[in-house]
Amino acid sequence: MRATPLRVLPLFASSVALCANPYAPENQPLSPDRPERLERTLDEIESARSFIELDIRGRGAFGADGKQTGSYDLGRLDATLAWTTSLNDSMRLRIAASTSQSYYDFDDVQGVMPGADDPWDHLQSYRLGATLFNRVDEVWSWLVGVDVRLAFESGADLEDSLELRGVVGAEYRVSKDLAFTFGIAAGSQIEDDALIIPLIGIDWRIDEKLRLVSRELGLLLSYQVAEHWTVGAFGNYELRDWRLDDSRAVNPDGVARERAVILGLEAKYRPSNRIELGVEGGAIVWSKLTSLDSNGRTFGKQEFEPAPFIGLSAVFRF
């Protein structure tokens, strides 16, 4: 089984939600008063109680023109429910369940699925996983995580829609303002070779207001403009696969594959640790849709021109 190198990337996309440092500010517990300051010490964080987090995100992209034929619009809704708890003074456990619902609207796209100008419509995925994070001392911490994912079109064989993924890593804290994460993420892909990605993550508080952090397969540079407001610029690489319906007329039991590069701006409002609201916008600067047959061979593919997107998000902690 051949490993697929993807250069050195900040984080493994499908493990990010499960591998988030539970001591990070966005994962910290609730306070009835003002938001907790981002420079809160590790000792204070360790004394925090367990909490549940609900994260809901929606995004719409419009008018992605094909470089050969047609165009498509895309609507996507993601939701994650996670529970984080302390097992002892230095160890925390995060268990998360999530779903992603993708809705495509194609207009005369011929190359992605030869013989069909509407390759697919509704694609869905569901994920369950856990991450264990342990602080060894003031400098070193380690994490290990695993998750299982089902990704499919209605009518697909669920057994053939399964992906297993895991991550092992360590965090090295240079100072209270700078930390790096190193590790390896690996996982299976639907009708493809195993995927292995080196992890290099960063969490750098540049000054009291400016912060650079790894997020998904990308980076976020954020700036605190007011007590409850932050703005940021981000870039991500996204990759998704789904098993197709095994009774479809064209390419039954095949695979739908999406690859995309996204650049955007965001604004977030966090009036307390209980709630965070966000809005984002930008462009999918490059995307490619591919279909594979049931043996993993390329059936069709097409790249698309840049397309604008907008998104909304809400996080609730209790």
Side-chain angles (χ1 to χ4, degrees), residues 169-297:
E171 180 188 82
Y172 176 71
R173 183 160 293 278
V174 179
S175 68
K176 67 181 182 66
D177 296 320
L178 179 61
F180 294 98
T181 302
F182 310 91
I184 293 290
S188 62
Q189 297 186 96
I190 300 175
E191 294 299 344
D192 208 340
D193 298 324
L195 182 68
I196 300 177
I197 300 179
L199 302 184
I200 297 182
I202 187 171
D203 186 346
W204 181 19
R205 176 157 293 284
I206 300 170
D207 58 32
E208 291 185 358
K209 297 182 180 296
L210 191 63
R211 186 181 181 199
L212 178 67
V213 295
S214 299
R215 187 176 72 172
E216 300 179 350
L217 289 175
L219 292 170
L220 167 67
L221 181 65
S222 64
Y223 184 78
Q224 185 175 352
V225 295
E227 183 178 4
H228 303 308
W229 286 91
T230 60
V231 297
F234 63 89
N236 288 337
Y237 176 70
E238 298 186 353
L239 62 166
R240 295 177 175 86
D241 292 344
W242 301 266
R243 175 69 68 180
L244 294 173
D245 183 358
D246 58 12
S247 63
R248 58 168 37 238
V250 178
N251 196 21
D253 200 33
V255 179
R257 172 166 292 174
E258 176 193 290
R259 302 290 186 261
V261 175
I262 295 177
L263 297 178
L265 301 174
E266 67 176 28
K268 290 193 173 180
Y269 173 62
R270 189 182 185 189
S272 75
N273 284 341
R274 295 185 180 276
I275 186 170
E276 180 181 283
L277 304 176
V279 60
E280 65 178 19
I284 302 177
V285 296
W286 172 85
S287 64
K288 181 169 72 172
L289 300 180
T290 304
S291 63
L292 310 178
D293 65 18
S294 58
N295 295 312
R297 295 185 294 261

Side-chain angles (χ1 to χ4, degrees), residues 34-111:
R34 66 188 301 271
E36 307 202 29
R37 295 181 61 83
L38 297 179
E39 57 268 29
R40 189 177 179 202
T41 67
L42 280 175
D43 289 338
E44 290 175 310
I45 295 168
E46 286 179 348
S47 66
R49 64 181 177 85
S50 301
F51 64 99
I52 296 173
E53 181 176 271
L54 176 62
D55 188 336
I56 303 172
R57 301 174 185 272
R59 177 184 292 171
F62 312 98
D65 292 326
K67 292 188 175 182
Q68 285 79 45
T69 62
S71 66
Y72 76 93
D73 300 330
L74 170 63
R76 178 165 288 142
L77 177 65
D78 299 300
T80 300
L81 182 64
W83 176 61
T84 302
T85 187
S86 295
L87 300 181
N88 54 43
D89 290 343
S90 61
M91 185 175 294
R92 289 179 75 80
L93 172 67
R94 175 182 167 91
I95 299 174
S98 64
T99 181
S100 180
Q101 306 292 321
S102 301
Y103 300 89
Y104 291 83
D105 184 10
F106 290 98
D107 182 13
D108 195 31
V109 174
Q110 302 287 338

